[in-house]
mmCIF file with all atom_site columns, all heavy atoms in Angstrom:
data_model
loop_
_atom_site.group_PDB
_atom_site.id
_atom_site.type_symbol
_atom_site.label_atom_id
_atom_site.label_alt_id
_atom_site.label_comp_id
_atom_site.label_asym_id
_atom_site.label_entity_id
_atom_site.label_seq_id
_atom_site.pdbx_PDB_ins_code
_atom_site.Cartn_x
_atom_site.Cartn_y
_atom_site.Cartn_z
_atom_site.occupancy
_atom_site.B_iso_or_equiv
_atom_site.pdbx_formal_charge
_atom_site.auth_seq_id
_atom_site.auth_comp_id
_atom_site.auth_asym_id
_atom_site.auth_atom_id
_atom_site.pdbx_PDB_model_num
ATOM 1  N N   . ALA F 1 119 ? 66.305 251.784 237.991 1.00 98.00 ? 140 ALA F N   1
ATOM 2  C CA  . ALA F 1 119 ? 67.018 252.814 238.752 1.00 98.00 ? 140 ALA F CA  1
ATOM 3  C C   . ALA F 1 119 ? 68.480 252.426 238.967 1.00 98.00 ? 140 ALA F C   1
ATOM 4  O O   . ALA F 1 119 ? 69.383 253.256 238.837 1.00 98.00 ? 140 ALA F O   1
ATOM 5  C CB  . ALA F 1 119 ? 66.337 253.011 240.112 1.00 98.00 ? 140 ALA F CB  1
ATOM 6  N N   . ALA F 1 120 ? 68.709 251.176 239.270 1.00 98.00 ? 141 ALA F N   1
ATOM 7  C CA  . ALA F 1 120 ? 70.081 250.723 239.550 1.00 98.00 ? 141 ALA F CA  1
ATOM 8  C C   . ALA F 1 120 ? 70.933 250.796 238.281 1.00 98.00 ? 141 ALA F C   1
ATOM 9  O O   . ALA F 1 120 ? 72.095 251.203 238.319 1.00 98.00 ? 141 ALA F O   1
ATOM 10 C CB  . ALA F 1 120 ? 70.054 249.298 240.096 1.00 98.00 ? 141 ALA F CB  1
ATOM 11 N N   . GLN F 1 121 ? 70.341 250.423 237.148 1.00 98.00 ? 142 GLN F N   1
ATOM 12 C CA  . GLN F 1 121 ? 71.119 250.487 235.897 1.00 98.00 ? 142 GLN F CA  1
ATOM 13 C C   . GLN F 1 121 ? 71.420 251.929 235.529 1.00 98.00 ? 142 GLN F C   1
ATOM 14 O O   . GLN F 1 121 ? 72.506 252.248 235.048 1.00 98.00 ? 142 GLN F O   1
ATOM 15 C CB  . GLN F 1 121 ? 70.367 249.767 234.777 1.00 98.00 ? 142 GLN F CB  1
ATOM 16 C CG  . GLN F 1 121 ? 70.313 248.253 235.008 1.00 98.00 ? 142 GLN F CG  1
ATOM 17 C CD  . GLN F 1 121 ? 70.174 247.446 233.730 1.00 98.00 ? 142 GLN F CD  1
ATOM 18 O OE1 . GLN F 1 121 ? 69.886 247.989 232.673 1.00 98.00 ? 142 GLN F OE1 1
ATOM 19 N NE2 . GLN F 1 121 ? 70.384 246.146 233.829 1.00 98.00 ? 142 GLN F NE2 1
ATOM 20 N N   . LEU F 1 122 ? 70.457 252.813 235.792 1.00 98.00 ? 143 LEU F N   1
ATOM 21 C CA  . LEU F 1 122 ? 70.676 254.234 235.516 1.00 98.00 ? 143 LEU F CA  1
ATOM 22 C C   . LEU F 1 122 ? 71.831 254.776 236.372 1.00 98.00 ? 143 LEU F C   1
ATOM 23 O O   . LEU F 1 122 ? 72.599 255.630 235.935 1.00 98.00 ? 143 LEU F O   1
ATOM 24 C CB  . LEU F 1 122 ? 69.383 255.009 235.811 1.00 98.00 ? 143 LEU F CB  1
ATOM 25 C CG  . LEU F 1 122 ? 69.284 256.425 235.280 1.00 98.00 ? 143 LEU F CG  1
ATOM 26 C CD1 . LEU F 1 122 ? 69.309 256.427 233.744 1.00 98.00 ? 143 LEU F CD1 1
ATOM 27 C CD2 . LEU F 1 122 ? 67.982 257.077 235.768 1.00 98.00 ? 143 LEU F CD2 1
ATOM 28 N N   . ALA F 1 123 ? 71.958 254.237 237.570 1.00 98.00 ? 144 ALA F N   1
ATOM 29 C CA  . ALA F 1 123 ? 73.039 254.673 238.473 1.00 98.00 ? 144 ALA F CA  1
ATOM 30 C C   . ALA F 1 123 ? 74.364 254.001 238.103 1.00 98.00 ? 144 ALA F C   1
ATOM 31 O O   . ALA F 1 123 ? 75.377 254.220 238.770 1.00 98.00 ? 144 ALA F O   1
ATOM 32 C CB  . ALA F 1 123 ? 72.668 254.360 239.916 1.00 98.00 ? 144 ALA F CB  1
ATOM 33 N N   . GLY F 1 124 ? 74.345 253.139 237.092 1.00 98.00 ? 145 GLY F N   1
ATOM 34 C CA  . GLY F 1 124 ? 75.588 252.517 236.619 1.00 98.00 ? 145 GLY F CA  1
ATOM 35 C C   . GLY F 1 124 ? 75.897 251.179 237.260 1.00 98.00 ? 145 GLY F C   1
ATOM 36 O O   . GLY F 1 124 ? 76.984 250.627 237.062 1.00 98.00 ? 145 GLY F O   1
ATOM 37 N N   . LEU F 1 125 ? 74.942 250.643 238.044 1.00 98.00 ? 146 LEU F N   1
ATOM 38 C CA  . LEU F 1 125 ? 75.209 249.363 238.728 1.00 98.00 ? 146 LEU F CA  1
ATOM 39 C C   . LEU F 1 125 ? 74.864 248.177 237.829 1.00 98.00 ? 146 LEU F C   1
ATOM 40 O O   . LEU F 1 125 ? 74.025 248.285 236.932 1.00 98.00 ? 146 LEU F O   1
ATOM 41 C CB  . LEU F 1 125 ? 74.363 249.268 240.007 1.00 98.00 ? 146 LEU F CB  1
ATOM 42 C CG  . LEU F 1 125 ? 74.600 250.344 241.063 1.00 98.00 ? 146 LEU F CG  1
ATOM 43 C CD1 . LEU F 1 125 ? 73.622 250.164 242.224 1.00 98.00 ? 146 LEU F CD1 1
ATOM 44 C CD2 . LEU F 1 125 ? 76.034 250.282 241.586 1.00 98.00 ? 146 LEU F CD2 1
ATOM 45 N N   . VAL F 1 126 ? 75.515 247.056 238.103 1.00 98.00 ? 147 VAL F N   1
ATOM 46 C CA  . VAL F 1 126 ? 75.137 245.796 237.461 1.00 98.00 ? 147 VAL F CA  1
ATOM 47 C C   . VAL F 1 126 ? 74.109 245.138 238.365 1.00 98.00 ? 147 VAL F C   1
ATOM 48 O O   . VAL F 1 126 ? 74.343 244.974 239.571 1.00 98.00 ? 147 VAL F O   1
ATOM 49 C CB  . VAL F 1 126 ? 76.365 244.869 237.268 1.00 98.00 ? 147 VAL F CB  1
ATOM 50 C CG1 . VAL F 1 126 ? 75.938 243.530 236.674 1.00 98.00 ? 147 VAL F CG1 1
ATOM 51 C CG2 . VAL F 1 126 ? 77.411 245.541 236.390 1.00 98.00 ? 147 VAL F CG2 1
ATOM 52 N N   . THR F 1 127 ? 72.959 244.797 237.795 1.00 98.00 ? 148 THR F N   1
ATOM 53 C CA  . THR F 1 127 ? 71.843 244.278 238.591 1.00 98.00 ? 148 THR F CA  1
ATOM 54 C C   . THR F 1 127 ? 71.844 242.745 238.554 1.00 98.00 ? 148 THR F C   1
ATOM 55 O O   . THR F 1 127 ? 71.825 242.152 237.474 1.00 98.00 ? 148 THR F O   1
ATOM 56 C CB  . THR F 1 127 ? 70.520 244.827 238.033 1.00 98.00 ? 148 THR F CB  1
ATOM 57 O OG1 . THR F 1 127 ? 70.506 244.635 236.603 1.00 98.00 ? 148 THR F OG1 1
ATOM 58 C CG2 . THR F 1 127 ? 70.380 246.306 238.310 1.00 98.00 ? 148 THR F CG2 1
ATOM 59 N N   . ILE F 1 128 ? 71.867 242.152 239.731 1.00 99.00 ? 149 ILE F N   1
ATOM 60 C CA  . ILE F 1 128 ? 71.785 240.683 239.831 1.00 99.00 ? 149 ILE F CA  1
ATOM 61 C C   . ILE F 1 128 ? 70.333 240.363 240.177 1.00 99.00 ? 149 ILE F C   1
ATOM 62 O O   . ILE F 1 128 ? 69.898 240.548 241.320 1.00 99.00 ? 149 ILE F O   1
ATOM 63 C CB  . ILE F 1 128 ? 72.734 240.140 240.924 1.00 99.00 ? 149 ILE F CB  1
ATOM 64 C CG1 . ILE F 1 128 ? 74.182 240.574 240.627 1.00 99.00 ? 149 ILE F CG1 1
ATOM 65 C CG2 . ILE F 1 128 ? 72.620 238.624 241.035 1.00 99.00 ? 149 ILE F CG2 1
ATOM 66 C CD1 . ILE F 1 128 ? 75.189 240.170 241.711 1.00 99.00 ? 149 ILE F CD1 1
ATOM 67 N N   . VAL F 1 129 ? 69.576 239.949 239.183 1.00 98.00 ? 150 VAL F N   1
ATOM 68 C CA  . VAL F 1 129 ? 68.138 239.735 239.371 1.00 98.00 ? 150 VAL F CA  1
ATOM 69 C C   . VAL F 1 129 ? 67.893 238.256 239.684 1.00 98.00 ? 150 VAL F C   1
ATOM 70 O O   . VAL F 1 129 ? 68.257 237.372 238.901 1.00 98.00 ? 150 VAL F O   1
ATOM 71 C CB  . VAL F 1 129 ? 67.353 240.163 238.105 1.00 98.00 ? 150 VAL F CB  1
ATOM 72 C CG1 . VAL F 1 129 ? 65.863 239.883 238.268 1.00 98.00 ? 150 VAL F CG1 1
ATOM 73 C CG2 . VAL F 1 129 ? 67.587 241.644 237.819 1.00 98.00 ? 150 VAL F CG2 1
ATOM 74 N N   . CYS F 1 130 ? 67.290 238.005 240.853 1.00 98.00 ? 151 CYS F N   1
ATOM 75 C CA  . CYS F 1 130 ? 67.086 236.624 241.299 1.00 98.00 ? 151 CYS F CA  1
ATOM 76 C C   . CYS F 1 130 ? 65.705 236.109 240.883 1.00 98.00 ? 151 CYS F C   1
ATOM 77 O O   . CYS F 1 130 ? 64.701 236.806 241.035 1.00 98.00 ? 151 CYS F O   1
ATOM 78 C CB  . CYS F 1 130 ? 67.179 236.535 242.824 1.00 98.00 ? 151 CYS F CB  1
ATOM 79 S SG  . CYS F 1 130 ? 68.745 237.123 243.473 1.00 98.00 ? 151 CYS F SG  1
#
Side-chain angles (χ1 to χ4, degrees):
Q142 291 206 347
L143 194 64
L146 300 176
V147 177
T148 49
I149 302 176
V150 177
C151 302

